[in-house]
């Protein structure tokens, strides 16, 4: 599981926050479930910012917007918007995505907020190697095998490692 946070810039120096993100890999399908949430707080006591606002979070190009009433107080870490998306990894099992968020509460000193950053997801190991079929060694690259000058996708594969069968696709 990978996780991180991305700092938020706002129009009010007394309001700050982060995008917090986590990802859970799905090794069998070479993808991850990524959850990101924008949280804001006031960093000074005795004040609050409240009203109706709209906040958007974008995970790997997929956006979600929420319009509702908010109240931000000292150290409140108020949840502004949250989303979960499924992100496919590259053929090599690696993936870096961009997460961004923005929004405002109209009629307040929080006229704008924005954040953007990269999230490096857990690497999902893919099997590359060779297999012997019909007394001939053939390459396996990212789940594909070349047979008769044609690449074919392996749907499921097992390999014997230290006396145990392990799924590699």
């Amino acid at each position: 599981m990978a996780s991180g946070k991305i700092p938020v810039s706002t129009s009010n120096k007394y309001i700050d926050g982060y995008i917090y993100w986590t990802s859970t890999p799905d090794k069998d399908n070479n993808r991850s479930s990524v959850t990101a949430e924008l949280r804001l707080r006031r960093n000074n006591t005795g004040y609050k910012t409240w009203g109706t606002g709209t906040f958007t979070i974008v995970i790997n190009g997929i956006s979600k917007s929420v319009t509702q009433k908010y109240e931000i107080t000292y150290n409140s870490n108020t949840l502004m918007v949250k989303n979960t998306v499924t992100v496919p990894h590259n053929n090599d099992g690696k993936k870096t995505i961009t997460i961004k968020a923005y929004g405002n509460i109209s009629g307040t000193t929080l006229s704008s907020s924005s954040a953007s950053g990269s999230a490096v997801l857990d690497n999902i190991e893919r099997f590359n190697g060779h297999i012997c079929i019909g007394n001939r060694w053939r390459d396996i690259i990212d789940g594909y095998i070349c047979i008769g000058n044609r690449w074919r996708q392996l749907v499921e594969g097992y390999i014997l490692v230290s006396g145990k069968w392990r799924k590699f696709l």
Side-chain angles (χ1 to χ4, degrees):
M1 178 183 253
S3 63
K5 62 183 182 178
I6 301 164
V8 178
S9 297
T10 75
S11 57
N12 183 331
K13 68 180 181 179
Y14 298 111
I15 299 175
D16 58 31
Y18 290 94
I19 297 172
Y20 296 93
W21 65 270
T22 60
S23 70
T24 303
D26 175 357
K27 295 180 181 183
D28 291 338
N29 295 298
N30 196 35
R31 63 188 184 188
S32 287
S33 175
V34 180
T35 299
E37 58 187 41
L38 171 64
R39 290 187 176 270
L40 298 178
R41 66 170 193 129
R42 288 196 68 98
N43 54 35
N44 62 340
T45 59
Y47 296 90
K48 68 180 179 178
T49 300
W50 58 276
T52 300
T54 301
F55 290 85
T56 301
I57 195 157
V58 183
I59 305 171
N60 198 41
I62 300 170
S63 65
K64 178 182 179 181
S65 296
V66 173
T67 300
Q68 67 181 42
K69 291 183 179 179
Y70 295 97
E71 182 175 291
I72 304 169
T73 58
Y74 178 67
N75 277 344
S76 61
N77 286 321
T78 304
L79 177 64
M80 312 311 277
V81 61
K82 177 179 180 177
N83 200 16
T84 300
V85 301
T86 299
V87 176
H89 285 230
N90 301 327
N91 286 338
D92 63 2
K94 296 177 182 178
K95 189 66 177 181
T96 300
I97 63 171
T98 298
I99 302 175
K100 54 187 172 181
Y102 53 90
N104 70 310
I105 298 177
S106 57
T108 72
T109 57
L110 184 59
S111 58
S112 67
S113 64
S114 64
S116 181
S118 295
V120 179
L121 309 185
D122 288 317
N123 184 36
I124 297 175
E125 290 187 25
R126 309 306 290 163
F127 180 82
N128 292 325
H130 307 283
I131 190 169
C132 187
I133 298 175
N135 293 323
R136 190 165 167 208
W137 286 99
R138 303 177 188 272
D139 290 329
I140 299 175
I141 300 174
D142 296 325
Y144 288 83
I145 185 168
C146 188
I147 299 174
N149 292 326
R150 196 165 161 212
W151 286 97
R152 301 169 193 261
Q153 185 175 16
L154 290 173
V155 176
E156 191 171 46
Y158 292 86
I159 188 169
L160 188 62
V161 178
S162 301
K164 293 182 181 178
W165 286 100
R166 299 181 189 267
K167 187 174 181 179
F168 66 85
L169 289 178

